Amino acid sequence: MLKLLPWRSSPHKTLTLDPTKPLLSLSRFLSHSLSEDQYEDDPPFSPVSKPPKPKKNKTQNKDPDSKNGRTEPLKSDLPFDFSYSYSETNPKVEPIAFRESPKFSPFGPGRLDRKWTGTVAPTQQEVDLDRVAEERKRVLGDPLTEEEVAKLVERYRHSDCARQINMGKGGVTHNMLDDIHNHWKRAEAVRIKCLGVPTLDMDNVCFHLEDKSGGKIVYQHINVLILYRGRNYDQKNRPVIPVMLWKPYTPIYPKLVKNVADGLTFEETKELRNRGLNSPPVMKLRSGTLHPSFVQG
C-alpha cells in the first residue's frame, strides 16, 4: 500500500538532524512534521461536507387576511360607469340574454367596490358634472400655443414613436385608459393609431378618448391621433383605474333587422323581401368604382 501511495509518509520513518547545518535541518523537520499531521486523520478522497441550510423561521406573525387571500376592494372616483368598450357599445340598448352569469365580474372577485351587472359596473355615488369639468380644466391648464403644438406633433406623429397605443376592433376599451396614463407618466402625449371598425366614426372615438381619459387631442390625421395630458398633470394624483382581468362575453342583443316588419304580417314581409331580392340592381361596384354602364346611363 505504501508503494502505491508514495505521497503518504511512513509512521515509523524518523528524521535525523545534521549537526553541521542545525537551522536547515530544524526547518525540514518542522515542515515534515506538519505534513504528517495534515493527513493523519483525513483520508484521501473524503467527501466534502456541505454547509447546513438555514432553517426558516416558522414563528412569524402573519396577517389572517393575507393568509386567506383577502384584500380590500379598489375604490375609484371616476365619474362614469365601467365597461369593456366605451365607443363600440350603446348603454341605452339593453341585452335580452347573457352568455355568462353577471355574478362573474371581469375585475375579479372582491377587487372592485362596484357591482357588475353583466355589461357595466355603475358608479355608486352621484356625479357632480360642474366639479368634474373644473378639475379637468385645471389639469389641462392654458391652451397650447401653435409652436408647442407643432413640437408635440413633430415628436409623436412618426410611426417609430415609442409612445404608441394601437386601437383595434374593440375601440376605446377600459384597459386602454390605464395604458394611456402609464405612457403619460414619462411623456407629455401619446400616439394612438386606430385600426378596423372604429375608424368609421372617428368623432365618436375622439369624444370618448377625451371624456374618459381627461386629455386633449391636439392632432388628427386620418386614423392617427395625438392625445395630450395637460400642463398641470400629476402622475401621483392620477385616477385609480382597476384593470379588467379578462374580456367579458358579449351579451345577446335584439336583432337590428327584424324578421317581421312593423305593421305587416309574416307572409307580406316575406313577399316584399323576395321581390327585392329578384329585382335588378340600381348600380354595380367593381373594386370600389362605379360600373361603366351606370356611368354612361
Side-chain angles (χ1 to χ4, degrees):
M1 188 65 182
L2 294 177
K3 294 181 179 180
L4 295 177
L5 301 177
W7 55 273
R8 293 293 303 268
S9 59
S10 176
H12 303 288
K13 186 178 181 181
T14 58
L15 294 177
T16 57
L17 298 178
D18 189 359
T20 60
K21 300 179 181 179
L23 295 178
L24 182 60
S25 301
L26 181 62
S27 61
R28 290 181 180 178
F29 176 77
L30 292 177
S31 61
H32 185 74
S33 61
L34 290 176
S35 62
E36 286 183 354
D37 296 338
Q38 182 179 0
Y39 301 100
E40 185 176 0
D41 297 329
D42 187 12
F45 312 110
S46 60
V48 180
S49 59
K50 297 182 179 180
K53 297 182 179 180
K55 297 182 179 180
K56 297 182 179 180
N57 188 8
K58 299 182 180 180
T59 60
Q60 295 179 355
N61 296 328
K62 296 183 178 180
D63 190 3
D65 294 340
S66 62
K67 183 178 180 180
N68 299 330
R70 300 176 182 176
T71 56
E72 296 182 359
L74 296 176
K75 296 181 180 180
S76 180
D77 296 334
L78 292 175
F80 54 85
D81 300 340
F82 293 162
S83 176
Y84 173 74
S85 177
Y86 298 104
S87 61
E88 304 305 313
T89 56
N90 189 2
K92 297 181 180 179
V93 180
E94 295 293 337
I96 58 178
F98 296 98
R99 291 186 172 89
E100 64 179 355
S101 177
K103 65 181 181 180
F104 297 112
S105 174
F107 296 97
R111 296 185 66 253
L112 187 64
D113 61 341
R114 302 185 183 187
K115 184 178 180 181
W116 179 254
T117 62
T119 55
V120 297
T123 178
Q124 303 295 332
Q125 57 185 0
E126 297 182 0
V127 179
D128 189 359
L129 298 179
D130 296 337
R131 186 180 64 82
V132 173
E134 292 178 359
E135 180 65 19
R136 180 183 177 185
K137 186 176 180 180
R138 183 192 66 81
V139 173
L140 291 177
D142 299 334
L144 296 176
T145 61
E146 296 182 358
E147 296 179 357
E148 293 174 340
V149 172
K151 290 181 180 180
L152 286 177
V153 170
E154 182 62 26
R155 184 178 179 182
Y156 295 99
R157 72 179 178 86
H158 301 284
S159 59
D160 59 348
C161 177
R163 305 298 176 182
Q164 175 174 318
I165 298 176
N166 295 328
M167 179 187 299
K169 62 181 181 180
V172 183
T173 58
H174 180 77
N175 289 350
M176 184 184 295
L177 303 179
D178 185 66
D179 296 338
I180 291 173
H181 283 277
N182 290 337
H183 280 288
W184 281 350
K185 182 178 180 180
R186 303 182 183 276
E188 293 180 330
V190 59
R191 183 177 187 265
I192 301 176
K193 186 176 182 180
C194 307
L195 304 172
V197 180
T199 57
L200 298 177
D201 192 358
M202 291 299 297
D203 294 337
N204 182 39
V205 172
C206 295
F207 168 76
H208 284 286
L209 282 175
E210 293 182 348
D211 182 61
K212 302 303 186 294
S213 66
K216 179 69 175 178
I217 294 178
V218 296
Y219 174 79
Q220 177 183 357
H221 178 67
I222 308 177
N223 63 331
V224 177
L225 306 173
I226 295 180
L227 188 61
Y228 177 62
R229 66 182 184 180
R231 294 182 183 273
N232 302 325
Y233 179 82
D234 186 8
Q235 175 65 20
K236 297 181 180 179
N237 297 328
R238 58 169 288 182
V240 179
I241 303 177
V243 180
M244 283 190 175
L245 303 182
W246 66 84
K247 178 183 177 180
Y249 286 100
T250 305
I252 301 174
Y253 290 96
K255 294 182 178 180
L256 296 177
V257 180
K258 299 180 180 179
N259 294 331
V260 180
D262 296 338
L264 299 176
T265 61
F266 179 76
E267 289 76 10
E268 294 175 348
T269 304
K270 186 177 181 180
E271 181 182 358
L272 292 175
R273 184 178 290 113
N274 292 334
R275 187 185 303 177
L277 292 174
N278 298 327
S279 61
V282 178
M283 68 177 67
K284 293 182 180 180
L285 300 178
R286 289 183 179 178
S287 301
T289 58
L290 295 177
H291 194 268
S293 61
F294 179 78
V295 176
Q296 293 177 0

